Amino acid sequence: MTRFPIRFDPWYRALSTMVGLPPSSSFVVLDGDELQVRMGWAFRSRFHRQAVAAMSMFDQQPFSRGVHGFAGVWLVNGSASGILDIRLHPSQRAYVLGIPVRLGRLLVSVEEPANLAAALGHTV
């Protein structure tokens, strides 16, 4: 099992901890062939690594932090940098505030994006 922490900007680390989303509960875990993504109580998903169809670095810097999404595209971030753009096929299931949603594209900020990509057999 390999754990990749979600990247947090210092100011957001403090804010997110106050609302119950501490960095300690925000991570991506690769356990064998299964990938788990979690941001505290706000977001969770678990799917097979074969569902990762493509991966690249996200070339924009979003203003927002936290969990945001629409129409199968979800941003899970604590920082505007280090964001991996993970395309999934077929779409997978995720839960936002406990509500099931479709996950076709995941934008997630991680401390070491190149290491996560390499662990999944991709380069960024």
Side-chain angles (χ1 to χ4, degrees):
M1 178 173 75
T2 307
R3 184 178 169 125
F4 301 89
I6 288 183
R7 180 182 297 211
F8 280 78
D9 293 332
W11 68 268
Y12 187 67
R13 178 181 301 272
L15 179 62
S16 66
T17 298
M18 287 190 300
V19 298
L21 291 173
S24 62
S25 69
S26 303
F27 51 82
V28 177
V29 169
L30 179 59
D31 189 5
D33 287 334
E34 188 173 76
L35 195 66
Q36 177 186 4
V37 181
R38 188 166 189 100
M39 189 168 213
W41 49 263
F43 182 91
R44 66 184 164 90
S45 184
R46 186 183 304 253
F47 50 88
H48 197 277
R49 70 188 299 158
Q50 288 182 335
V52 177
M55 184 179 291
S56 62
M57 291 301 298
F58 189 58
D59 61 0
Q60 300 173 27
Q61 290 201 339
F63 179 73
S64 65
R65 307 291 186 272
V67 176
H68 308 278
F70 181 74
V73 179
W74 288 90
L75 172 64
V76 178
N77 70 321
S79 176
S81 60
I83 298 177
L84 277 176
D85 184 347
I86 303 172
R87 307 288 176 121
L88 302 169
H89 184 77
S91 293
Q92 301 295 303
R93 169 98 29 173
Y95 296 86
V96 176
L97 303 175
I99 298 168
V101 297
R102 184 173 60 89
L103 181 63
R105 182 177 177 199
L106 173 64
L107 304 167
V108 60
S109 65
V110 291
E111 288 288 339
E112 300 174 336
N115 290 350
L116 174 56
L120 291 169
H122 293 264
T123 57
V124 291

